[in-house]
Structures are given as structure tokens and as C-alpha cells.
Amino acid sequence: MAETSETLLLRAPLSGVLLPLAAVPDPVFADGMFGDGLGIDPLSDTVVAPCDGIVVHLAATGHALTLQAPCGAQVLVHVGVDTVLLRGEGFAPCVAQGDAVRQGDALIRFDLDRVARQARSLVTVMALANGNAFTVAGRTDALRAEAGRTVVLKVRAVAGAASAASAGAAAPACQADGTGPAALRRTVTLACAGGLHARPAARARAAMQGLDATVALHYGGRHASLASLVALLALAAGEGATVELVASGRDASAALEAVARELQRTAAGEEQAAPAAGAAPASVGTSALTGTSGELPPGCIGGVAAAPGIAIGVLHWWREATPEPHEAGQGMEAERAALRAALAAVDARLAHDSEAASARGARAEAGIFAMHRALLEDPALLGAADTLIDAGKSAGFAWREATGAEAAVLSAMADRRAAERAADLLDLGKRVLRALAGNAAADVSVDMPTVMPTDADGQPVVLAADEFTPSDLTGLDCDRVAALAMVRGGPTSHAAIIARQLGIPCLVALGSALERLPDGTPVIVDGDNARLHASPDAHLLAAVASAVRLRTQRRQADLHAAHAAATTRDGVRIEVAANIGSVDDARNAVAHGADAVGLLRTELLFLHGDAAPAAADHTAACQAIAEALGGRSAIVRTLDIGGDKDAAWLRLPAEDNPALGLRGVRLAQVRPQLLDEQLRGLLAVRARAPLRILLPMVSEVGELLHWRARIRALAAAAGHDADADAQIEVGVMIEVPAAALLADQLAEHADFFSIGTNDLTQYTLAMDRCQPELAARMDALHPAVLRMIAATTEGAARHGRWVGVCGALAGDPLAVPVLLGLGVTELSVDAGLVPGIKARVRTLSLADCRQRAAGLLQLPSAAAVRDACRHYWPA
């Protein structure tokens, strides 16, 4: 934006993320009552002059000031929301009222941490105070700004404003000094918290819009017209001050009443401000959405979050269209041929869907479809169906009965994995029935135009069902479906996995309250706080829409800066790595700015194979990943199969409680060759950066010593130097409470620790992390889990070892300051989260995190920890 003699270029007064004015969490600013401008979520602590000018107003509390540029434009800079209530604490003005300043000069310095902890929001506003005479003629498209450098607004004088002002001055109206015809007077006491600051001044002016009247305010021997916000602010009338209002004009009485009402509004009478956009991790983070103390607001349905995010849409019930087969067949040969043709059609479609999912990096989704293909070939199912066909039944009836009977057997089993296979069988049954009905191409996948409403306004849809299956979601139109909502289901269901991979918010276990909502109900799906808001009011809709827009802008800004280091404000670098499971994941991690790979889940490379991987398979897979990383280091976890991860080729013995059974390094008890082959394969990889080995499910020092010795022996057999053990870094995955409590012993022999918070939480709290009914209570910020993390970092520190976190907690922005404060120096998250976590680290002071983290261990619950985190470190 080039400057001309007719325009004024305003540069960013702070470094930070740029926001539209509508996203500012204060309706007075967001609705433009004060004037046009923009918001900045600050990353710096010094306000600089956006242009040359005179300081015509400086708040006594130091949180705001107004510059008047040579052209006459008056520019307000207001740091944070409700910061007037801090009464100057944390603010240090660098100028005085009446000072002349140059663009870039320091105006106000403030304690970023202190203000962030005490104020409702740090979002800072820059707005035109005299918008009647000047207008914003241009805006930057940038997402981030650098203080004093980035031009963010272009301001131009309004044509004829000067003459209009002159005409107004000549009119027979009340003058600012109270003289003039028909003046009405009224004395009021300022009840607004903080006195006559920007918000009440703007509201008072807005209150008389549309009335034929002029109003002036007298205080302390001075006076100001309500037409001039700067003049009102310069009166410096504090809370409890007695002021005189003078009004004239045809509507003088009404104007006097309206202005007086605004100035006498108490804090209790304040309107609810819009939510602080982007506050809290992936959550809007406001009482308007979440309620207080876990209490559900009116019209809110609680459920379980299966996929994060926030979305607004119109509820549309999914009406399943599975054909009802005839029982009687048309002859044994014809029915057998029809079944084989339908099975072939479904298999082809599943192969296509699996390849498409793999191509976009959705390995979990691809694995689901691959597993469904394997079920199609199950001889027991085919045999049962053929027996019914031989008895005169139709192919559809026979297949439905065969899959239904097998699903009933699996559902009755205590093993959770068996129950999940039951759901897969029923889903497969629907696919084949659709194919038998003659619509293999269209009905096997979701034909969205036939199941979606055709709203003229094109509103996004929240798709609801009793429970979705993978076939329901194949081909889902993500441009039209904003979120998913289910009456039943769990967060580990295959439908939930697909929703997460598609990036669609998903709620499950919403119960009968969801069933009572009719088609067309406007809803907000809050996948971060596990709530659905039915028929929200206009205020909540506007607040959430603003938060969603802000999230999009922040994601773009974070991605732009993703390849820069994540360094705290006091200069400590934190490594932000990625969790991956394939070479495609590795490329995605690099693209998203990951510093390294903090967890390579090697079991995902081979989970759906036909046979156990040999050493050469491990070498080939890990070599390709190492090359894709372009010189970045990687932590390679040895096969962690068992529990909720099963491989057909492994044939583990049945276990009543697989989560406590043959998992991780314990597999060597029944399949020692399996881990030996993997270690041989890893030792053969040639990488430009360290390839570290991570051992899962270690619970005592003897296990670690055994595997270190085994690695040394295998390295020697492969011809490595005798010093190979010293060159190969071996770490322990801290996921068993015993390992956390023995961290000081383990650290003597381990090179590093990586904390798996998902399993550590379930074992510490004795809650199955795959149990839907307990999902809402499975919070890794529970003080007991935090004490396990603290024990780990303290034990590691005794031997100079570093500690990372590779569990889901590392990707929770609210938890990041806690982890850093407890001594964690590496965070490993899903690749898509890397930019946001890096941005979060850059806002933090490590010294502050350390000071506050220890106190969180004394709190009584995870909810209390989260509340404290929101207060200490607003996101």
C-alpha cells in the first residue's frame, strides 16, 4: 500500500497475529462502536507509534492512548480487553500526553505475562476514533505483523467531512460548554468499572445514534462533546466521578436518558462479551460455550469427543438406505453367482477406497478398508451363507443372516477388539446388500447428494446418526458436512478414526437428547469440550463463528512460521517433533516444519501385512523414512503390538486383559525372533542423523539392561565397531507407572526418555483408554499423571538425560506450558499440529512455566488443573 498526500499509512503497533475487528472479544470494538480498525494478538511487549503524531490522550492506567496524525486522523491503540481493571499494574507508558512522537517510537511497555494472566484477553485494538472524518481505505492481507514495519491500514479523509463539520458547528445546537438554546442538564455518577474509558465512551456515543440531539459531558472544569471520543477520554473521569450531561435538540430528553443509562451501567449490567477468539486448545475456551465448573449451559448436550474442532451447521439425520432382502431365492446357482458378484464388487470398491486413503496419508482409514477386504474372504462366512442358499434362501438373506450371526457371537465376547469386529461385520453386511440390490457403484459409498438437504443458502450440515459405520462415511463431502454427531458409539470406533483423519469434528455418546432434535435444528458441535449446543442464540453463533475464523487465520499464520525454531520468550529452544507411521507421514512432517521425528510407530508399517516382517523389511522401510526426513533425527519405537493393536500374522494367545498383557518388549517372551529381526534391520539403516531406538512397556532396569546387551550383541554380529552400543542411543518409553517411579534408576542406563501419556494415563488412573463411558474422565492433566511426569523428569535430571513427550498431551496447547515447566524439552505431536505447538511455545516464558508448574501438582483434579492453566497461560 503506497502512501500519497491524501492517505495515511498505519503500521502495526505490536508484533503478532492480525485479526479482523469482528474477532476482537469485546462487542464494543467488534461491532465497530468505537470505530473501524483491526485487532492484534500480540507476540511483543512494546506498543510503538503506528504513525507520526501527537499523543492527545493517554489513559491514566497506561493501557491505551490516542495519537493524532498530522492529517487530523485520531488513532486509538488499546492493549487487551478489560485491562483498565488492572489499574495500571503491568503497564509502563513511555510518553506523556501532549508529546510529539515519530512512527516506530516506543509508546507503552507492558508485562506480557502478567497482563495475560490477569486480563480477559490480550487482543489489542487499533481503531480510528474520528471515523466521521476519516475512513479505512485499505487493509493488508498479511496474517502476521511486525511492530513498526508492517503496513496494516490505509486511512483516507472522508470527502466533505470538514465542510460538514463546519455546517454542524453553525447549527443552533447546544455547544460543548453547555451554552446554546434549550439545554437540558443532568448530573450522573459514573458506575462503569474503570471510569470513562474506551468502552463506556463508545457505548454512550452509540446510545444516542439516530436521535436528533447533541450531548456534552462536563467534568473537572472541562467539557467534551460526545461526538469526540478522544475528548471524552481526555477528561479522565474515573469510576465514581460525578459528571454533568448537557443536551439540546429535538430529542434532547431521550438522548440525555440514553447516555445517562450507559454511564451508570455497573459491571453486573455489562453485556456478555464475545468469547475470546482462539482461547484454549483447540477450544473456543469461553464460559459462553463451556459453562462454568463443568456445568452444561441451557440447550447443551454433553457427549464424548471423538474428533476435535468446532463447527456450526444445520442438523441432518442420516437415513440409512440398506435394502431389505427377500427370503426366498431364485435357485441355488443363480443366488451363489449373485453373491460372488456382489462380493467382488464390494472388494473392488474397498480396494479403491483403501488406495485413495493411502494416497492422502490416511493410513488408519486405509487399514480399516484393508481389514474389511480380508473379512470378505472369511471361509466361515461364505460357508454359512452358502449353506443357507442351498436351503433355498436368497443371496441377500443368506449373507445378512451369516454376518449377523457371527457379529452376535463377537458382540457377546468380553474382548473389546471382538466387539469392534462385530461392528465391522455388520457394516460389511450392509455393503454387500447394497451391491446385491444393483447399486454397487453408488450404494457401496455414500452418494452425498441423495442424503443431504438441498438448502438454498448452502448452510453446512452436521450429519447425525445412531452410529455411523465406515461405509456410511466413504466419499463424505467435507465441503458440505461440517461435523458428525452420534447417539451411541465410542471415540475409538472406526467412524471416529475416519472423522479425525478427515479433520471433521465428531461427537459420540450424545444419547437420547440428540435423538429428540429434529432435522433442520441449528447446532454448534464443540469437539474440544465434548458438547453440542442446540438452537444457539445469535450471540453465541456470532462468537463461535468469530472463533472459527480466527482459528483458520491462526493456522495459516502458524504454518507460515512452522519452519522456524520454537524458542521461548526467554530464549530456550524446545524441539517440536512429529509422530509418524509411514514414509508419507515423514514427508508430511517435514512439510509442517517438524524438527525431527519423536515417534516412529513401526508396527503401523506392518500391521496389515500377510506375514511377520523380516530384518530386510525393517531396513527398507526405515531407510526410506530416514531419507525422506532430509537429515532430521528420528526415534524409532520397536514393535508395540498387543492391547488395542492386533496383527493377524502374530497370532497372540487370547488374553482376558490385553492392555496388561503381551505388549511392547514383552512380546519377546513368546516371539523373541520378532524383536531380534527388527533390531537387525534397524542396525543396518544408514542415516544422516541419529536413529534412536525406543523400547516400549519397560517396567524395570533389568529389561533395559537386557535389551542394551542384546543390541550390542547384534551390532557386533553385524560387524559394527565394538563401541556400537555407545553410538546407538537407546531410550525408554515411560508409559508404565513403575517406569516413572524408577526413572532415576532407568536414567543411569538409558540415553533419553519419551513419555507416552495415553498409556501412562490409563494405567495411572486405572481406566481403559478405549472405554467410551470413561473417555470424558481420561485426562492426562490429572495431578496424579503430572506427578508421574515430574518423577520422570526429576529422575532423568539426576543423570543428565533429556525427556520428551510423544503422547497426545504434547499436542494440547493448554498442557504445553505445564510440560515445559516440569522439565520436558521435546514435544512430539501429529504432523498437522506442529505449527500450532511451535507457535504456542514462542508465547511462553520457561521461567514462568517452571515457577507455576509445581503448584499444579497440588490441585485436586484435572478440571482444576485446566482451569488454572487457562488463567496462567491463556491460549
Side-chain angles (χ1 to χ4, degrees), residues 710-796:
R710 188 62 187 148
I711 292 169
R712 184 164 51 247
L714 292 172
H720 285 241
D721 296 336
D723 233 9
D725 183 50
Q727 299 170 10
I728 301 167
E729 295 182 50
V730 179
V732 170
M733 191 166 185
I734 305 295
E735 50 194 331
V736 180
L741 296 174
L742 297 176
D744 57 337
Q745 296 180 16
L746 290 167
E748 185 177 352
H749 307 284
D751 294 302
F752 65 94
F753 291 148
S754 185
I755 303 175
T757 52
N758 300 358
D759 273 330
L760 183 61
T761 303
Q762 80 162 343
Y763 294 138
T764 301
L765 301 183
M767 294 180 184
D768 187 342
R769 65 189 178 101
C770 298
Q771 171 58 260
E773 286 77 10
L774 296 175
R777 298 179 59 192
M778 275 287 297
D779 193 332
L781 279 180
H782 192 287
V785 180
L786 296 183
R787 291 188 183 197
M788 291 291 177
I789 295 172
T792 302
T793 56
E794 289 166 8

Side-chain angles (χ1 to χ4, degrees), residues 191-193 199 203 261-262 264-273:
C192 35
R199 181 188 296 130
R203 278 204 312 250
R261 184 170 58 249
E262 286 298 331
Q264 293 178 103
R265 287 175 68 171
T266 63
E270 295 274 351
E271 57 196 81
Q272 289 292 324

